[in-house]
Amino acid sequence: MSRAVDLGISEVVQRGNMSFLKRRKAAKGIEEHARPQELDERLKEKSTNGPATIKFVSFLIGGLIGLFLGSVTSVYIATLHENDLWFSAIQEVEQEISFRTECGLYYSYYKQMLQAPTINQGLKELLYDNKTESRRTINLLKRMNIYQEVILSILYRTLSLQNYVAPVFFYLYTVFGLQALYVISLYTTSWLLSGNWMSGALGAVWYILNRIDTTRVEFTIPLRENWSLPFFAMQLMAITYYLRPQLKPLQQMLSFCLIMASTFLFCITWQFNQFILLIQAAALFSLDCLDMVPHSKVASLYLVHVVSLLLVCILQFNNSMLLGSLVLSFILAALVVRCFQRNLKSGTFALRVVKLLVHLVVVFLLTVLTNNIIKRILGLESDEHIFKFLKAKFGFGATRDFDAKLYLCEEAFGLLPHDTFQRLLHTLILPSYLLVLVITVTVAVIVAIRNLSCNSCSNPFQNSAVKEENVIMLRPDTAYNLIHNILFGLLALSTMRMKYLWTPHMCIFTSATICNNQFWSLSLKALRLYSPQWVRVMKFAVPVLICFYLYNEFLPKIIAELSDLREFYDPDTVELMNWINVKTSKDAVFAGSMQLLAGIKLCTGRTITNHPHYEDKILRDRTKQIYQIYSKRSPEEVYSILRLYGTNYIVLEDSICYERRHSRGCRLRDLLDVANGHVMDDSGANDADLKTSPSPRFCDEIKSHAPPYSIYFTRVFKNKTFHVYKLKKKKMAPN
């Protein structure tokens, strides 16, 4: 394989943006004796004629197609959302109920800002909020990433849009508009990698047709990732351009500024930014170690990460969770160790491998040590539940921790299901991706070995030639996108929810490669069918054939999907929200499940005890306490807990009390029983140290209205789904 690649290198030079053409052999005759100056004049003359015009026209067409595909995606998703809910025709309370779980919580702050008498008053209410967590005043701008809701509400008010568009549609159209930016950024990244806008078009089409696995924006509109991922795609596009070799200073500066801006916007809009940047930093670190990307550019991108996180930390009023993030500790460790190991890239191949392994171990240990020291100094516990979840997920010991089990039992945090691969196979993205991955990884391994070996050569000119040939084989921007895709692919395989970070990039990386010269050159040489004509044919024919298949296979399905008209229907929740609005005080405090309480806050403005934004230790402890309404605890204990948080009403849901969606051991009531040291319901195994609870299940027994339950609680509302009980002000002694 190495010999075949060496032969390929001698025949190939760079043509497009990702790959290389055959290096021309000197022809007999005039060209054999032509002076370099004459050759340069010919090339200049040729480049200033027809080809320049063709390139401009191609660029213009490609740009228009990118804008078109981005706009089509935005309209398509907006249409699906409208068709699924008949959103424009339903009541306002139904529109708000459709923002489920944490989506409703985030949208409530946009609504709150619009309902405030002034912008300043609205900001003050966010800075000193006492309605999101009863009996606790919190700074919402510090705790949550809601600057987008604040800015959007200010724009809506200052631009006087009340007469033109309803607040909810202004919000929706903004998020759907960001999806256009998302697709355009993906399109451009693919174009940059291949040098051919056709690859961008194919990647965008794949993104749209694999919508179920590439995005969930149409039914989780206010979710943080739907604001953040378009900027992440823009950052990826800018990094791809920034890592291209031989950029002019102005081009490098502009791309760096775009990276900085997009990284900051990505970080300010999503609380999980630090974990995504950690994977990105790990990708850059690995490329730096293998000499695939210049260290100066890697250090510059590290700087972008650090500056962006620190800026967000400042804007979030010294959010210590960011200061204790793993990515900051990792970058600090990587730079410090690099300073003390300046000779990392010298010596024989074996010595360099040993040095590299030592380097990896030292960086890892220093990262862990630094992170632990920072967290101890700052007293950080905000993200400990994530590490408990990861520890249990990857088999480092069983856990009874309630918060960790809450994640482990959700399908979204399980392994990527098989039906995902079936869908990806149907659109041809999966087989194309696997072929691309095998060939590209093979080339990357060969380049890595050659990079590690080249410094052992005694001739410096030979070293330089080998490095140049390695860059020809695998350019830095291509290498980065390869490692980026592999790391996020591993993340997606282990955690289903993370597939939305992987599958969009899979679409563009695959399309960029199969529209690329070098890919077909290597493939055809391996089959002994190589010729420049065949490379050109395959480069255009394969994408066209794939698009033709996708058109015939999926256009009828898309038309049928757009013709499927549905309507939002949740009468029980609507009835509950209307009752709360009419029958309860505006100062009333409600307790219940995190998901339902987010909707209650949005639809009624009432104070709630807990909510789904789980990145706070105190809130997690509070939620576990509130959830005792579904455990086997006495009414006296439950009443005392609820009163501790100022609760006036509890909302019980039959779907939780008698849950059947999860298997035994993963139902919410099971998690509570195990955490409380009680045996679980129904037949099955229990740990030996679990004991039978002396009390029956609270959410079931309270419906009997018998003492002692009736002493503390009075039912005030009931329908097929919900039961609302009011806490009596004073405990009454039993007769």
Side-chain angles (χ1 to χ4, degrees), residues 389-408:
F389 158 72
L390 293 174
K391 181 180 177 181
K393 181 177 178 65
F394 294 109
F396 296 102
T399 181
R400 288 185 181 178
D401 184 78
F402 175 76
D403 301 318
K405 293 286 286 184
L406 209 57
Y407 283 99
L408 287 168

Side-chain angles (χ1 to χ4, degrees), residues 86-104:
W86 201 8
F87 197 82
S88 60
I90 58 179
Q91 306 172 51
E92 181 180 357
V93 66
E94 292 176 309
Q95 291 176 338
E96 293 175 348
I97 291 171
S98 71
F99 297 140
R100 303 287 186 181
T101 65
E102 59 185 302
C103 296

